[in-house]
Amino acid sequence: MERSGMGRREFLRAGAAAGVAAGAAAGLAAEPPAPEGPKAVRLGVIGVGGRGSYLLGVALKAGVEVPAVCDINPGAVARGVGIVEKARGTRPEGYQNGPKDYQRMLRRDDLDAVLVTTPMQLHAEMAIDALRAGKHALSEVAAAMTLEECWGIVRAAEETGKVYMLAENCCYWYHCLMILNMVQKGLFGELTYAECGYVHDCRSLLFQGDGSLTWRGEMARDCCGNVYPTHSLGPVAQWLGINRGDRMVSLVAAGTRSAALNDYVARRFPEGHAARQVRFKLPDSSSTLIRTAKGALIDLRFDMCSARPHPTTTYYALQGVKASYDSRQQFIWLDGRTPGYRWEELSKYMKEFEHPLWTEHGAEAKATGHEGADYFPLREFLQAIRKGTPPPIDAADAAAWSCIIPLSAKSIAEGGAPQEIPDFTRGKWDSRKA
């Protein structure tokens, strides 16, 4: 995930200052001992590569116990075991005997929950298996790749009663939670339109050093829609009250040809190389228009193949009848409060509308990556387990946000034909509480 287009350095420093590199170092620093008593959640980690081992460090700082870690790479398992051993003085068991060995780990009776940080195509299967094994599940994004997987997550959460949460950290960026607070306080009035996008040149991440495809490359080969929607859609869905007062009902999508990716392959790999034989389905850029039950419109862009300088952005805009916001410059306009008819910097309202989560936990959050946003998904997941309360991003949310992947692909394949978005709340979207 890339940094948000925050726009103003002063706003970043005052709000969500810590960067990814600093957060990673803090996440793997010496950890406090796990607290004693029944509230120490026992967490297993499936996938301890770069992202997984970093989040393992964040979890240890949150006070969990880690009896087991799993990865198909023995080196990654050894690293994960070492992180826990250094932090706790106890050695977790490692599972590394092939792609299904995580199922053996799930049979342990000393695990309350699992964190799934594997390649995206595996998230749904592993989370469903965890729920069915009686474990709570926190999954990295996206939740699923197909409609069947989306419904599988919903059914598993319903039927087991276990906590499922999607670890969408963009929802916890300082400015995203601040806008949510302003929306909930009525400053935007009725909401009519939102714009969001994930625009990140990932072409170099599609290939291993030898030119074989990574999991991202396999998605670019096999999929023609928005394959990474939740970073951009998640905050917007929360602002609009999706599944909690409104819901997404249909979409249409369109995509460009795959020009930039093919150009990259031609320049990187010599004549006769196997990478040149791959036929990629993924458009360089795609746009999806989503209509909600209450008449709002979401304009969702995805682009991970176009040539763009770094850093790239996940961006957001929101329009209500009384206010307008654009993250690309961190500008806001509030009817009746903004002097004159002009934009203001969002930072002007920081003190007044800082979200309570950041007010209460900002100091701890700033020690983690993605400008502090990596702290909150794990915290909220553990709180839901300990208190027996619904998680803020539950199975229905995860399914609704992730179903954009197959539905946008189907719309593009059918020439922009509208696609119905299922109601994963089973009719409860207008009565569920935020």
Side-chain angles (χ1 to χ4, degrees):
M1 184 187 79
E2 290 303 300
R3 289 183 60 182
S4 161
M6 299 290 277
R8 302 294 177 182
R9 292 183 182 275
E10 296 81 1
F11 186 46
L12 278 173
R13 285 196 290 265
V20 174
L28 300 179
E31 318 297 347
E36 297 180 358
K39 291 187 177 181
V41 174
R42 300 167 299 178
L43 182 73
V45 181
I46 309 175
V48 279
R51 178 66 175 167
S53 60
Y54 160 64
L55 289 176
L56 171 60
V58 176
L60 288 165
K61 288 181 71 69
V64 302
E65 297 176 359
V66 181
V69 297
C70 178
D71 200 290
I72 60 172
N73 183 338
V77 170
R79 180 173 60 241
V81 168
I83 291 170
V84 179
E85 193 170 24
K86 181 178 179 181
R88 293 283 185 263
T90 58
R91 186 176 180 83
E93 186 171 351
Y95 292 79
Q96 60 192 41
N97 297 329
K100 296 294 185 180
D101 206 29
Y102 76 92
Q103 294 175 342
R104 186 165 63 93
M105 188 184 85
L106 292 176
R107 292 197 289 268
R108 296 177 67 105
D109 59 8
D110 61 348
L111 288 181
D112 302 308
V114 296
L115 171 63
V116 179
T117 61
T118 55
M120 201 169 85
Q121 295 93 323
L122 304 174
H123 290 173
E125 178 185 3
M126 291 176 169
I128 292 168
D129 285 349
L131 294 169
R132 297 292 183 190
K135 320 301 183 189
H136 307 291
L138 177 65
S139 173
E140 271 289 297
V141 302
M145 297 290 294
T146 68
L147 283 179
E148 182 181 2
E149 289 178 338
C150 288
W151 277 115
I153 292 170
V154 171
R155 286 193 296 268
E158 290 173 342
E159 292 168 10
T160 65
K162 293 298 178 179
V163 172
Y164 173 93
M165 181 169 166
L166 187 66
E168 181 44 79
N169 50 7
C170 288
C171 293
Y172 295 97
W173 266 332
Y174 187 91
H175 67 293
C176 288
L177 280 178
M178 183 175 167
I179 293 299
L180 178 63
N181 195 29
M182 298 173 87
V183 167
Q184 291 175 339
K185 291 182 180 297
L187 271 74
F188 278 77
E190 186 178 356
L191 301 176
T192 57
Y193 176 81
E195 182 181 351
C196 52
Y198 181 82
V199 184
H200 174 197
D201 185 354
C202 292
R203 290 174 298 169
S204 65
L205 302 178
L206 305 186
F207 302 92
Q208 306 281 4
D210 63 0
S212 59
L213 297 179
T214 65
W215 62 269
R216 290 181 177 89
E218 290 173 354
M219 289 198 305
R221 179 194 63 198
D222 300 337
C223 305
C224 67
N226 183 332
V227 296
Y228 209 53
T230 70
H231 280 341
S232 42
L233 182 58
V236 161
Q238 291 188 324
W239 297 343
L240 293 176
I242 299 301
N243 289 342
R244 293 165 181 80
D246 200 354
R247 80 171 189 92
M248 301 183 294
V249 295
S250 66
L251 65 77
V252 294
T256 69
R257 65 185 183 277
S258 184
L261 182 52
N262 289 328
D263 176 74
Y264 175 84
V265 170
R267 287 186 290 108
R268 175 170 170 178
F269 301 105
E271 290 287 347
H273 195 285
R276 284 178 170 248
Q277 308 307 312
V278 179
R279 294 294 176 260
F280 294 99
K281 293 182 179 180
L282 191 69
D284 286 353
S285 189
S286 67
S287 291
T288 303
L289 289 176
I290 304 170
R291 185 172 60 86
T292 77
K294 294 194 172 180
L297 184 67
I298 303 170
D299 185 343
L300 174 66
R301 183 185 174 191
F302 171 71
D303 188 329
M304 74 173 191
C305 295
S306 295
R308 299 177 69 89
H310 208 69
T312 47
T313 61
T314 304
Y315 64 87
Y316 310 94
L318 183 65
Q319 185 65 59
V321 298
K322 297 195 298 183
S324 185
Y325 165 69
D326 194 316
S327 76
R328 283 160 287 200
Q329 294 296 323
Q330 285 301 347
F331 284 165
I332 194 164
W333 173 79
L334 300 172
D335 192 8
R337 295 195 58 158
T338 302
Y341 198 60
R342 58 180 176 80
W343 292 103
E344 291 185 294
E345 292 187 7
L346 181 64
S347 58
K348 174 180 176 180
Y349 297 97
M350 212 166 66
K351 183 176 180 180
E352 184 177 1
F353 294 109
E354 179 179 75
H355 193 278
L357 278 177
W358 271 95
T359 302
E360 296 170 19
H361 305 288
E364 300 97 321
K366 289 175 186 178
T368 65
H370 287 115
E371 297 160 3
D374 283 340
Y375 170 83
F376 291 104
L378 184 66
R379 180 192 179 276
E380 297 299 287
F381 176 63
L382 296 176
Q383 287 288 94
I385 293 172
R386 290 164 177 159
K387 295 184 176 181
T389 54
I393 308 173
D394 64 10
D397 300 319
W401 303 355
S402 300
C403 79
I404 303 304
I405 296 173
L407 292 179
S408 63
K410 193 169 187 290
S411 180
I412 290 173
E414 295 177 357
Q419 306 295 322
E420 181 180 349
I421 298 175
D423 177 10
F424 294 102
T425 72
R426 303 186 192 276
K428 299 177 181 177
W429 57 271
D430 202 21
S431 59
R432 289 180 7 135
K433 296 181 179 179

